[in-house]
Amino acid sequence: MKKFRALLMAVLLAAGAGLLAPGPASAAAPEPYCGLVWGSLMKTNDSTGTVATYPRVINVRTGQHYCFDRMVIDHSGSVAGYTVRYVDKVVQDGSGFTVPLRGQAFLQVTVNAPAYDDAGQSTYNPADKKELTNVTGYQTFRQLVDAGSYEGYTTVGLGVRGRLPFRVFTLEGPGTGSRLVIDVAHFW
């Protein structure tokens, strides 16, 4: 019993002297999800070209990645400009009608590229304009909808599960084409 009391006193004295005190708390901010530091504000890149020089939209596709879901809009030439932003509702080009879309948040993606050629013929004709790709099982995406192509601009509505951070960038190729890429993170 005397040994126990002596050991207890030694531990209490050491704690009181600061020898067994816990280390200082870290003041560093928590690590962002997957190292992503994107935001959720509008991203835009305006073109200096004219509608006559804009490339054409030729495809829309999606993919799943470990930290984000990805949407790609394929162009027949170099991307001429875009605006990607969260909106309360996605509206149809030309008419302004609301486009129904699944999800808790909505990204309106507008590219400076028509989805038709100079003769008015479609350069991108999806099988279902209300389901551009099948995003069943995606962690973030809920629905992609064709919101129209009007006066040289094409809009795609992207329904997501919440207002999450996203990034936008362009890639050249394949061939003389290019791609507009929109990644939406799974978490903040």
Side-chain angles (χ1 to χ4, degrees):
M1 186 72 162
K2 287 184 183 185
K3 287 183 181 181
F4 176 73
R5 284 187 193 165
L7 180 60
L8 181 60
M9 285 301 273
V11 169
L12 290 175
L13 286 172
L19 298 175
L20 294 180
S26 172
E31 190 70 24
Y33 173 71
C34 285
L36 306 178
V37 292
W38 313 334
S40 62
L41 297 178
M42 178 174 69
K43 279 114 177 126
T44 186
N45 182 1
D46 242 347
S47 168
T48 57
T50 64
V51 172
T53 63
Y54 289 170
R56 306 301 189 240
V57 171
I58 55 175
N59 195 23
V60 175
R61 52 198 168 92
T62 57
Q64 298 179 70
H65 295 264
Y66 179 74
C67 298
F68 54 86
D69 290 346
R70 172 171 284 178
M71 177 175 81
V72 177
I73 301 177
D74 294 313
H75 292 69
S76 63
S78 293
V79 173
Y82 58 84
T83 300
V84 182
R85 63 189 174 118
Y86 279 104
V87 294
D88 293 331
K89 60 184 178 180
V90 173
V91 295
Q92 188 176 42
D93 287 339
S95 71
F97 292 133
T98 299
V99 177
L101 196 56
R102 290 188 303 275
Q104 298 300 310
F106 312 109
L107 277 169
Q108 184 160 316
V109 178
T110 302
V111 294
N112 301 13
Y116 51 85
D117 62 20
D118 292 336
Q121 298 299 310
S122 177
T123 58
Y124 172 58
N125 195 15
D128 186 351
K129 292 183 179 233
K130 295 179 182 177
E131 299 285 342
L132 296 183
T133 68
N134 181 1
V135 294
T136 302
Y138 279 54
Q139 194 161 347
T140 297
F141 290 177
R142 295 296 178 254
Q143 186 179 11
L144 274 81
V145 175
D146 180 349
S149 189
Y150 183 72
E151 293 186 348
Y153 299 90
T154 300
T155 300
V156 174
L158 175 57
V160 295
R161 67 177 176 77
R163 188 178 174 129
L164 295 161
F166 68 96
R167 71 175 172 177
V168 180
F169 60 96
T170 61
L171 295 170
E172 292 302 316
T176 59
S178 64
R179 296 158 281 166
L180 178 70
V181 180
I182 298 99
D183 293 335
V184 182
H186 294 158
F187 300 101
W188 273 98

